[in-house]
Amino acid sequence: MNDMVTSPQLVLAAEQIQPGHHPTVQFLGLTFNTDTLLSTLIAGVIVVGLGLYMARGASAGKPTKLQIIFEMLAEWVRGQIDDGMGIRRRRA
């Protein structure tokens, strides 16, 4: 019933993937997942880059779409942090 054609490359790649396994590096007695560090660094560069780009055109009078998205994201993150810490704040 499975009509999908599987290429040899996909089969080989699937055999090499090990869920839960991360390449690691040891530093000062600590173990770091290199793939997690790399993806976090890439995400951080993207967010900071977009933030700097957005800040150049930020205005209080007529915000850009990117500025609105960043403000919504910042408010959501703040709400998540406050909820996790048990902080109650008034909603305007």
Side-chain angles (χ1 to χ4, degrees):
M1 188 149 228
N2 189 355
D3 295 332
M4 293 180 57
V5 177
T6 308
S7 70
Q9 292 87 3
L10 288 177
V11 172
L12 182 60
E15 291 173 357
Q16 293 175 349
I17 296 173
Q18 299 174 352
H21 179 269
H22 298 275
T24 59
V25 64
Q26 297 281 331
F27 181 70
L28 297 176
L30 300 172
T31 303
F32 296 96
N33 294 340
T34 55
D35 58 344
T36 304
L37 290 174
L38 180 62
S39 60
T40 302
L41 180 65
I42 291 170
V45 167
I46 290 171
V47 169
V48 169
L50 283 174
L52 291 173
Y53 175 76
M54 185 268 317
R56 286 184 33 221
S59 67
K62 186 174 183 214
T64 64
K65 290 179 185 178
L66 185 60
Q67 183 178 350
I68 292 170
I69 291 170
F70 261 76
E71 289 177 5
M72 287 173 52
L73 181 63
E75 185 65 27
W76 177 78
V77 168
R78 182 176 178 177
Q80 292 294 311
I81 292 170
D82 288 349
D83 289 346
M85 294 177 64
I87 297 172
R88 293 185 181 208
R89 56 187 176 133
R90 292 187 201 177
R91 303 275 180 193

